[in-house]
Every structure is written in structure tokens, then in C-alpha cells.
């Protein structure tokens, strides 16, 4: 019975881990991509963008990231899920540095 409980506990522990792994992100080459904001995490100044070729980009804004709409700088809180954006990124190792994010709407 103890073995059954230990196995069941291990399986229950693995389920959230497997779920988290299925929502992975992609690393693309440096360049400019268009897509849709899939998720906004204001506390981390982070967004996820689903590109037109079904890549999911994870972008942590930094002090050098510009965010604009119609050519004017806007605050991070202007980003919303579902917006069309154009992102310019630089690949640094296995992560992406967002250089510019332009809200297209």
C-alpha cells in the first residue's frame, strides 16, 4: 500500500510539471516579427507574443526596450492580450532581448 501511495504521489507531482513544459516558448533569430500578444505579465514587464508562423516568444522588457503606438512612446500598461504587435528582437544566447515593440492597432 505504501508503494502505491508513493507512486500516486509521484504521478500527481509530475502532472503540473508536464503541463508547464507543454507551454514552452521559442527562440528565434534576431530580426523583426509580427504577431499577437498572447499574455501580459505586468509585474515582470513581460509579454508573450504568438507570431504569424506559430512561434511563441517570451519577451522581458528592459530599460532599452522601446514601446510605441503610432510612432509615440507609450507606457507598458497599454499592452493588452490580443493586440497586434511588431517586435524587433536580438537573440542573446538562448533568450530574446526585445529592442522595440510597436503596437499596430
Amino acid at each position: 500500500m505504501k508503494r502505491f501511495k508513493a507512486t500516486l504521489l509521484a504521478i500527481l507531482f509530475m502532472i503540473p510539471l508536464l503541463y508547464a513544459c507543454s507551454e514552452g516558448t521559442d527562440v528565434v533569430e534576431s530580426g523583426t516579427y509580427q504577431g499577437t500578444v498572447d499574455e501580459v505579465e505586468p509585474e515582470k514587464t513581460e509579454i508573450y507574443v504568438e507570431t504569424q508562423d506559430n512561434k511563441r516568444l517570451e519577451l522581458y522588457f528592459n530599460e532599452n526596450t522601446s514601446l510605441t503606438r503610432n510612432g509615440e512612446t507609450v507606457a507598458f500598461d497599454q499592452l493588452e492580450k490580443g493586440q497586434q504587435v511588431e517586435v524587433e528582437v536580438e537573440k542573446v544566447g538562448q533568450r530574446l532581448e526585445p529592442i522595440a515593440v510597436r503596437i499596430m492597432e
Side-chain angles (χ1 to χ4, degrees):
M1 188 67 174
K2 283 185 175 183
R3 179 179 257 170
F4 175 74
K5 286 181 180 179
T7 302
L8 182 60
L9 189 59
I11 291 171
L12 290 175
F13 178 75
M14 295 288 292
I15 290 173
L17 181 64
L18 292 172
Y19 179 75
C21 291
S22 69
E23 299 230 346
T25 58
D26 298 290
V27 177
V28 295
E29 295 301 319
S30 298
T32 302
Y33 300 87
Q34 292 187 352
T36 305
V37 176
D38 184 44
E39 185 177 343
V40 179
E41 294 196 17
E43 66 280 354
K44 298 179 184 175
T45 58
E46 175 187 22
I47 63 171
Y48 292 86
V49 174
E50 189 82 28
T51 65
Q52 295 173 334
D53 59 349
N54 296 321
K55 305 273 188 197
R56 190 165 197 250
L57 310 181
E58 180 180 29
L59 304 173
Y60 286 94
F61 281 49
N62 59 44
E63 64 278 357
N64 299 320
T65 305
S66 71
L67 174 61
T68 58
R69 175 187 279 158
N70 297 326
E72 296 186 17
T73 300
V74 295
F76 185 85
D77 65 3
Q78 297 297 302
L79 285 166
E80 298 175 357
K81 181 177 179 174
Q83 286 177 319
Q84 296 297 309
V85 292
E86 181 176 83
V87 297
E88 182 179 352
V89 298
E90 180 178 353
K91 181 180 176 186
V92 179
Q94 288 302 308
R95 63 185 171 86
L96 297 172
E97 291 283 332
I99 298 168
V101 176
R102 291 176 278 279
I103 300 172
M104 305 299 285
E105 304 170 333

